[in-house]
Amino acid sequence: MNIPEYLSRIGVNETDLTPSVAALRSLQRAHLLSVPFENLDIHWKSPIVLNVDKFYEKIVTARRGGFCYELNGLFDELLQHIGYKTRLVSARVFNGSGHGPEFDHAAIIATVGDEEYLVDVGFGAFTTQPLRFVVGEKQQDESGIFTIRKYDDTYLEVAKLDDSMWVSEYIFRDVPRQLSEFADMCDFQQHSPESHFTKGKLCSIMTSAGRKTLTDKSFIVTENGRKKETPVNSESEFYDLLAGEFGIAFQPS
């Protein structure tokens, strides 16, 4: 992995990369502002393989995005190369009525000094900065108030405060995982008609004022809490927006 090229990709020019809380926050925010969450390869029939070198080629060299296994898989490698002690954990995403299966999502826990942080650059609209891995503490983030709390005797839950109610984001066990353990679910996400990733194209990125999200049907821009939604009326319009707004010019053959 070429660290300077990766840092350039996410707009980080720091020469001192000594692990610290401030540096970790800066790296996560920079990544979210630079690398989109997208599922385009699934619809372009380009297989996603759990290989860090392939993640690097796609995200850094080709200046693309990816989904959780790719984004957090590569970011985890970057953090380790810089000197952070990290571990991948398996999370089960809340789908509105329940939580998905094990290995549904990959997240990172990073150690800084005597503290640990939940780090996630692969979940789309989520926290802008790492969450302190402390159970029961309300944590203010640019995107809202979050907490990590006990879910049951096995799982912890990440929840977000929404109109005075805590809404689950995902549950996870603090068990270190290898990237290869996510392979079966990575295949499921790409090929199963039950996977929400197979139901339509998606490309979304955080901006300094909010977020912009492109789907087959609409282009949504949120700035300072105000949302503007524009219909996408054709495939050619989708690809024009993809190139103009996200810098992704590749189209399927």
Side-chain angles (χ1 to χ4, degrees), residues 129-143:
Q129 297 185 352
L131 293 175
R132 291 181 65 233
F133 191 4
V134 177
V135 175
E137 178 180 277
K138 292 182 181 179
Q139 300 188 51
Q140 180 70 56
D141 183 80
E142 288 180 38
S143 60

Side-chain angles (χ1 to χ4, degrees), residues 29 34 42 59 74 96 148 202 229 236:
R29 180 176 175 79
S34 304
I42 293 173
I59 295 167
L74 188 63
I148 299 173
L202 168 69
E229 183 170 355
S236 62

Side-chain angles (χ1 to χ4, degrees), residues 122-167:
F123 199 59
F126 191 55
T127 61
T128 63
Q129 297 185 352
L131 293 175
R132 291 181 65 233
F133 191 4
V134 177
V135 175
E137 178 180 277
K138 292 182 181 179
Q139 300 188 51
Q140 180 70 56
D141 183 80
E142 288 180 38
S143 60
I145 299 174
F146 293 81
T147 191
I148 299 173
R149 61 186 184 179
K150 188 174 181 181
Y151 180 75
D152 58 21
D153 291 339
T154 303
Y155 288 93
L156 296 169
E157 179 182 49
V158 182
K160 181 180 181 180
L161 192 61
D162 183 13
D163 290 335
S164 75
M165 293 185 63
W166 289 104
V167 178

